[in-house]
């Protein structure tokens, strides 16, 4: 027995020592990688160079600092460049005498149309310097072609494709599936057009939803066609006809219908670029990628700052996690900016589908207080809808792109009833006692809402909607009745929102910054970004496991991953909480943009949207 304990103790000691040693080694490896990555020399741009744009990564609002940017780790797209840096680097290249032109090689671009518009505008501004832009690819998606169409020349591989058939929006409906599982999704809402919950109780789009989707998708398509028409010097009607009849399906079609200028192989393209730069055939081109190209924020007076505060993701209470807008975090940032005498104006960059009504109201309050002290201008990204519009409404003015998705002023909640599933299909029953008539409201999952309970929930939904409309009414200087007519959960594009008074001007973040400086009456100013970014190593470690899992699933399922992702989010997040709490993540009906879903929470009778 004594020898047994001796061996056990030795084994345990060995495991502990080995774990400590492995941990130290791992820290050493990470430290070495970080040191190596941080010590990389800045890429030197040679004279007579080309700036290379590929956009082969997800485009977030801001770049994510990453110490492993030079490594290739499956599932983790390490070479990230945010919209902020993309715009700044293109603007820097315009003034850089060493950069003679841009070579764009993008088959698809992972972001929304509003962000694409800002990139497109930056490229048009680059061209105004007299420098060239050449686009080439083996296959263009519609988003990639939308951006590439600004180029002086658009080339395609002889066996390549140009996708040009018009825009479409599709939603997965699951009513029959819920019926088969024995789940009744009890929906309480305000807003004829508030359609995000339709997949739970319908098998197809409602007529109201079909009307609004046709409207905002048509508005996006109008802008898409018109801007390509201007760049390619083709009539809009001609482009519509080409797309409607799907006349362009390959490289020959693209050249025939003038969407592309010529068919080239890569070697022919390289010769074309060498001719533009007067480089000898035998010599190499000097190329620097946008990811490696360095730029700095324009210098300005530190005592005259325009602060750009980024709010991206679903709106939640507390600090929030990566990809969420935490009300405590953003409110704290707004307070600090309001109290900072060096900050003369704030640009609030909102890119959000919405979220918690309470969290939205907490942020709204800080925007309102900030406006009383200094100018605050909202710049909307790809979308600023529902809660995203709520937190924008109090600003001095609101900028959006034509293709920004906004509005959706409405409220809803969902309480699932599992009675048929639990009682009849798997034989699970609930029983208990309560001290009040409504003590178990939202707590027992195997019974439907009573008429009185539904009335109570409906009254709370109505109350939140009235508060929402009042915030918009006060911020936009219109009556509550007017808000109601353009509310009801209806979604609008930025272009439509200007026409109905929800947005002031069409423009990107640079336009909002200039407007903020003008309102603050400052000439020379520095632009500072907030919140402060996490340190690079934390950013990497916080989400690497999830990214690897997603990458593996995408590799296995390919194009079907999007459908799997919708179902997974529902199953993972349909969780009953104790103390009358229900958390439900649901399908985002802005699936056209494939962004993160909204969150509904019903906590002790209060609705969060």
């Amino acid at each position: 027995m004594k020898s047994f304990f001796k061996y056990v103790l030795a084994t345990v000691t060995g495991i502990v020592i080995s774990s400590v040693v492995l941990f130290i080694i791992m820290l050493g490896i990470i430290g070495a990688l970080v040191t190596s990555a941080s010590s990389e020399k800045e890429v030197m741009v040679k004279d007579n160079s080309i700036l290379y744009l590929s956009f082969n990564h997800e485009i977030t609002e801001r770049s994510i600092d990453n110490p492993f940017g030079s490594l290739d780790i499956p599932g983790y797209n390490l070479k990230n460049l945010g919209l902020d840096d993309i715009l700044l680097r293109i603007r820097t290249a315009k003034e850089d005498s060493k950069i003679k032109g841009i070579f764009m090689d993008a088959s698809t671009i992972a972001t929304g149309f509003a962000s694409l518009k800002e990139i497109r505008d930056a490229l048009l501004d680059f061209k105004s310097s007299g420098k060239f832009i050449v686009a080439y690819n083996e296959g263009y998606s519609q988003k990639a072609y939308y951006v590439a169409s600004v180029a002086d020349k658009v080339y395609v591989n002889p066996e390549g494709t140009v996708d040009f058939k018009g825009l479409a929006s599709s939603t997965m409906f699951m009513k029959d599936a819920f019926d088969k599982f024995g789940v009744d999704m009890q929906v309480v809402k305000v807003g004829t057009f508030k359609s995000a919950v339709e997949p739970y109780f319908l098998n197809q789009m409602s007529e109201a939803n079909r009307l609004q989707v046709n409207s905002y998708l048509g508005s996006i398509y109008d802008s898409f066609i018109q801007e390509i028409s201007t760049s390619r010097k083709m009539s809009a009607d001609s482009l519509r006809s080409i797309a409607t009849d799907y006349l362009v399906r390959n490289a020959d079609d693209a050249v025939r219908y003038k969407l592309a200028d010529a068919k080239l192989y890569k070697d022919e393209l390289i010769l074309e670029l060498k001719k533009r730069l007067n480089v000898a055939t035998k010599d190499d081109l000097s190329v620097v990628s946008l990811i490696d190209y360095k730029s700095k924020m324009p210098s300005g007076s530190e005592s005259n700052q325009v602060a750009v505060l980024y709010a991206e993701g679903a709106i939640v209470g507390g600090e929030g996690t990566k990809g969420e807008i935490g009300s405590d975090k953003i409110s704290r940032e707004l307070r600090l900016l309001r109290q900072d005498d060096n900050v003369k104006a704030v640009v609030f960059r909102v890119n959000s589908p919405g979220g918690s009504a309470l969290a939205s109201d907490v942020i709204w309050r800080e925007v309102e207080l900030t406006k009383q002290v200094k100018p605050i201008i909202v710049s909307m990204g790809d979308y600023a809808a529902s809660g995203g519009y709520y937190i924008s409404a109090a600003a001095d003015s609101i900028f959006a792109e034509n293709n920004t998705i906004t509005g959706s002023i409405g409220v809803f909640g969902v309480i699932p009833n599992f009675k048929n599933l639990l009682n009849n299909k798997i034989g699970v029953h609930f029983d208990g006692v309560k001290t009040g008539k409504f003590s178990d409201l939202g707590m027992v999952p195997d019974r439907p809402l009573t008429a009185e309970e539904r009335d109570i929930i409906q009254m709370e939904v109505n109350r939140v909607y009235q508060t929402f409309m009042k915030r918009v009414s006060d911020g936009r200087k219109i009556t509550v009745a007017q808000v109601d007519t353009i509310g009801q959960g209806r979604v609008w594009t930025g272009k439509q929102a200007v026409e109905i008074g929800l947005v002031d001007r069409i423009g990107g973040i640079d336009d909002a910054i200039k407007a903020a400086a003008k309102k603050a009456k400052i000439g020379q100013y520095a632009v500072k970004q907030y919140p402060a970014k996490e340190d690079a190593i934390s950013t990497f470690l916080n989400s690497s496991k999830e990214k690897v899992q997603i990458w593996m699933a995408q590799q296995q399922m390919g194009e079907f991953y999007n459908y799997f992702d919708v179902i997974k989010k529902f199953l993972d997040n349909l969780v009953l909480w104790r103390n009358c709490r229900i958390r439900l993540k649901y399908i985002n009906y802005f699936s056209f943009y494939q962004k993160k879903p909204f969150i509904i929470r019903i906590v002790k009778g209060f609705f969060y949207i």
Side-chain angles (χ1 to χ4, degrees), residues 7 30 100 108 116 141 161 184 189 197 250 338 347-348 451 477 482 514 539 555:
Y7 285 123
I30 292 176
K100 302 303 181 183
T108 187
L116 294 178
S141 68
T161 59
D184 176 27
K189 67 170 185 170
V197 288
N250 54 51
R338 185 168 67 246
V347 171
F348 192 21
K477 306 290 190 297
Q482 288 175 299
K514 292 174 184 175
T539 300
Q555 295 303 304

Side-chain angles (χ1 to χ4, degrees), residues 536-597:
I537 192 67
S538 296
T539 300
F540 174 79
L541 294 177
N542 280 344
S543 59
S544 57
K545 179 181 177 182
E546 178 187 1
K547 287 179 178 287
V548 169
Q549 291 173 337
I550 291 173
W551 176 81
M552 292 177 68
Q554 288 173 332
Q555 295 303 304
Q556 294 296 318
M557 289 181 278
E559 63 182 285
F560 297 104
Y561 174 78
N562 288 337
Y563 300 104
F564 164 78
D565 189 44
V566 169
I567 296 172
K568 180 178 181 298
K569 282 172 180 170
F570 176 78
L571 295 177
D572 284 351
N573 294 286
L574 188 59
V575 180
L576 290 175
W577 289 357
R578 297 181 66 181
N579 300 322
C580 306
R581 287 182 277 188
I582 298 174
R583 177 177 176 174
L584 168 64
K585 282 191 177 179
Y586 58 87
I587 300 170
N588 175 6
Y589 70 108
F590 298 128
S591 57
F592 183 65
Y593 282 94
Q594 297 182 352
K595 292 291 185 177
K596 290 188 175 180

Side-chain angles (χ1 to χ4, degrees), residues 1 45 203 214 244 261 282 341 354 374 510 544:
M1 180 63 70
V45 181
N203 285 322
N214 267 320
T244 299
D261 294 286
K282 63 180 180 179
D341 292 335
K374 58 189 65 173
D510 289 340
S544 57

Side-chain angles (χ1 to χ4, degrees), residues 104-142:
M104 185 163 33
D105 179 19
S107 60
T108 187
I109 307 180
T111 191
F113 271 107
S115 294
L116 294 178
K117 177 65 164 61
E118 296 208 49
I119 294 172
R120 203 174 186 280
D121 286 346
L123 291 171
L124 287 170
D125 181 59
F126 176 89
K127 281 179 63 175
S128 70
S129 66
K131 299 179 180 183
F132 68 84
I133 299 179
V134 170
Y136 172 83
N137 210 276
E138 295 174 359
Y140 294 91
S141 68
Q142 293 192 104

Side-chain angles (χ1 to χ4, degrees), residues 142-155:
Q142 293 192 104
K143 285 185 175 181
Y145 184 78
Y146 170 68
V147 176
S149 64
V150 307
D152 299 283
K153 294 292 182 181
V154 176
Y155 298 120

Side-chain angles (χ1 to χ4, degrees), residues 61 83 114-115 118 311 347-352 377-393 395 397-407 476 492-494 497 502-505 507-509 512:
E61 283 289 328
L83 181 63
S115 294
E118 296 208 49
V347 171
F348 192 21
R349 176 70 171 188
V350 178
N351 199 346
S352 171
I377 310 294
V378 162
S379 170
M380 292 180 169
D382 288 324
Y383 52 129
S386 197
Y389 190 82
Y390 197 127
I391 64 176
S392 303
S397 62
I398 299 174
F399 283 71
E401 292 289 2
N402 280 328
N403 296 328
T404 296
I405 290 293
T406 189
R476 303 305 301 169
W492 309 93
T493 62
L502 290 179
V503 168
D504 294 290
R505 287 178 55 188
I509 191 167

Side-chain angles (χ1 to χ4, degrees), residues 37-92:
S38 61
S39 63
E40 287 183 358
K41 294 181 179 179
E42 184 175 327
V43 174
M44 299 300 295
V45 181
K46 299 178 181 178
D47 290 332
N48 209 29
S49 291
I50 291 176
L51 185 64
Y52 172 72
L53 278 60
S54 66
F55 305 120
N56 59 346
H57 54 81
E58 180 185 4
I59 298 176
T60 53
E61 283 289 328
R62 303 174 72 187
S63 295
I64 299 172
D65 290 336
N66 192 342
F68 308 113
S70 60
L71 302 179
D72 184 16
I73 299 177
Y76 200 91
N77 197 339
L78 301 170
K79 292 189 175 182
N80 167 276
L81 200 61
L83 181 63
D84 58 339
D85 273 329
I86 290 173
L87 301 180
L88 180 59
R89 294 181 188 197
I90 293 173
R91 188 161 57 245
T92 302

